Every structure is written in C-alpha cells, then in structure tokens.
Amino acid sequence: GAGVSQTPSNKVTEKGKYVELRCDPISGHTALYWYRQSLGQGPEFLIYFQGTGAADDSGLPNDRFFAVRPEGSVSTLKIQRTERGDSAVYLCASSVAPGQTYEQYFGPGTRLTVT
Amino acid sequence: QQQVKQSPQSLIVQKGGISIINCAYENTAFDYFPWYQQFPGKGPALLIAIRPDVSEKKEGRFTISFNKSAKQFSLHIMDSQPGDSATYFCSFPKGPGGGNKLTFGTGTQLKVEL
C-alpha cells in the first residue's frame, strides 16, 4: 500500500518568505508527527497530532512554526518569516493510534533550504 | 529531557564482519526501545525493537542486547553486507500517554566495504 508522502521533496526559499510543507499519512493512521532533521543529526520532534488536534506541540521552536490537520488526515507545516537556520529536512511520520503500536512510518522528507 | 548518547558516530566494517552500535540513556521511564535505519534521501524505518523486560532480541542478522542496570543497549549486525550501509538511530518513545513521540540518538553512519 501507499506509504507516507510529502510534498514538495525540495523547497528553496528566500529568507523572510512563508512556506508550507504537506504530509499525506498512511490511510487510517490517526497519529501524525512532524520532525526536523539537520545534517548529521537525528530527527527532532516538532509536533504530534492525534486526529485533528495537536496533542503535543512542545517541539516547535518558536511562534513562526505552525501546523494543522483540519480533517484528521493531511497535515501542513507552516513556517513564517523563514530564517537560514530553518534549513533542514522536515520529516513526517504516521502511526496507528498510540497504545496500539510504537512503530512510526516516515515519509521521505522535504528538504528546505533558506537562502 | 532524555539525554541519549550514541556511539560510534561512524563505523566502517568489512563485508561479513560484525557491526556494533551502542546507545546509552539517562531516563529509565521507557517501555520500548526501537532502532531505526535510514538510507540517504529516505525517512527512517523501524529496524528492530526490544522491551526492557527482555535482555536480547534477534531478528535475522540483527540483534539488540539490553543492559538495564547500565542503562545502555546495543545493536549488533552479524555478517554485515554492503546493503546494510546506512545511518542507524536508537530512539526512545515517550509512551502512549506521550503520544509515542520519539527522541532519537545522534546516529551512527555505517559503511560496509567489500
């Protein structure tokens, strides 16, 4: 079956611009996670959705970052006033509801470059 | 905040050899320890996982050994193959109440040479 998909695969933007990154989780997965991975590092947690609501957004670095999941499926990560330090690979993962499994299925990521 | 120390940072092994990656942690409040494997340009994928009430788990050529008293666990790859060349991450889920969000180690880049 189809895995987690993310679009775009690459995004280059200028400092100060607004970007949106999209994630399509595996059908039927109620949990959705966003992580950020800098070069040579492990992924870092940003935000977790259970259904439509953000259950934990403690990893968002500041208020320029925001994510939504209005219908409990597709999610969009939004970054305002981008900075060069935002350059990283943004990974999305989905899972069957927590408590049923620990396994998360990751998409290929969106590589964001802020110039 | 969970602190995770993963070593080595990089590893070169000859084909057929044993690859060993270690992971040390501070907080013991976890009930599942997964290892993820990541190929270039791809997202991480679950490789193998162990629960803390088990000291060892083997799946094919991959084995996790867990030492609860030392707060560390290790991934062993037997008969390493060039196709195993990837980055490996230990990770800690926060558990169902925490949504299972993962804290990852810094990663070990494995290269298996012919």
Side-chain angles (χ1 to χ4, degrees):
Chain A
V4 177
S5 63
Q6 292 186 245
T7 54
S9 56
N10 282 283
K11 176 70 176 179
V12 180
T13 190
E14 294 180 349
K15 178 177 180 293
K17 298 292 187 181
Y18 168 83
V19 297
E20 289 189 352
L21 312 179
R22 176 187 169 105
C23 172
D24 280 89
I26 293 173
S27 177
H29 282 190
T30 60
L32 186 146
Y33 310 80
W34 284 98
Y35 295 85
R36 178 167 71 173
Q37 186 172 26
S38 300
L39 190 64
Q41 300 294 316
E44 293 181 301
F45 170 79
L46 295 177
I47 186 170
Y48 150 61
F49 288 88
Q50 179 57 40
T52 60
D56 185 344
D57 64 358
S58 62
L60 295 178
N62 52 59
D63 61 6
R64 295 186 298 105
F65 289 75
F66 188 71
V68 296
R69 195 186 184 198
E71 298 179 354
S73 178
V74 171
S75 176
T76 304
L77 178 65
K78 307 179 180 188
I79 309 174
Q80 299 177 323
R81 303 183 305 280
T82 52
E83 299 178 356
R84 293 192 180 88
D86 299 335
S87 296
V89 175
Y90 288 81
L91 294 164
C92 175
S94 71
S95 177
V96 178
Q100 296 184 31
T101 179
Y102 288 97
E103 183 168 6
Q104 294 183 19
Y105 295 83
F106 283 81
T110 293
R111 180 176 298 278
L112 176 65
T113 303
V114 182
T115 62
Chain B
Q1 182 75 24
Q2 173 67 225
Q3 297 296 317
V4 179
K5 295 182 180 179
Q6 187 173 338
S7 62
Q9 184 176 355
S10 63
L11 181 62
I12 299 175
V13 174
Q14 296 299 309
K15 181 177 181 289
I18 301 173
S19 304
I20 302 174
I21 303 171
N22 301 300
C23 196
Y25 60 95
E26 295 181 352
N27 189 328
T28 57
F30 296 100
D31 53 7
Y32 185 74
F33 297 90
W35 283 90
Y36 278 79
Q37 179 189 52
Q38 185 176 29
F39 292 103
K42 305 291 186 182
L46 180 65
L47 179 66
I48 186 173
I50 193 171
R51 295 192 180 271
D53 56 348
V54 176
S55 61
E56 184 175 285
K57 181 176 181 180
K58 183 177 181 180
E59 288 185 0
R61 296 184 295 106
F62 299 90
T63 300
I64 299 180
S65 299
F66 180 62
N67 186 331
K68 189 172 184 178
S69 61
K71 296 184 181 180
Q72 62 183 17
F73 59 109
S74 302
L75 174 67
H76 289 64
I77 306 174
M78 311 300 288
D79 187 26
S80 299
Q81 299 297 312
D84 297 331
S85 297
T87 302
Y88 294 81
F89 296 96
C90 58
S91 69
F92 302 87
K94 195 169 182 181
N100 291 339
K101 67 182 186 183
L102 294 168
T103 297
F104 285 88
T106 50
T108 296
Q109 191 168 7
L110 171 65
K111 182 178 181 180
V112 181
E113 295 183 335
L114 293 170

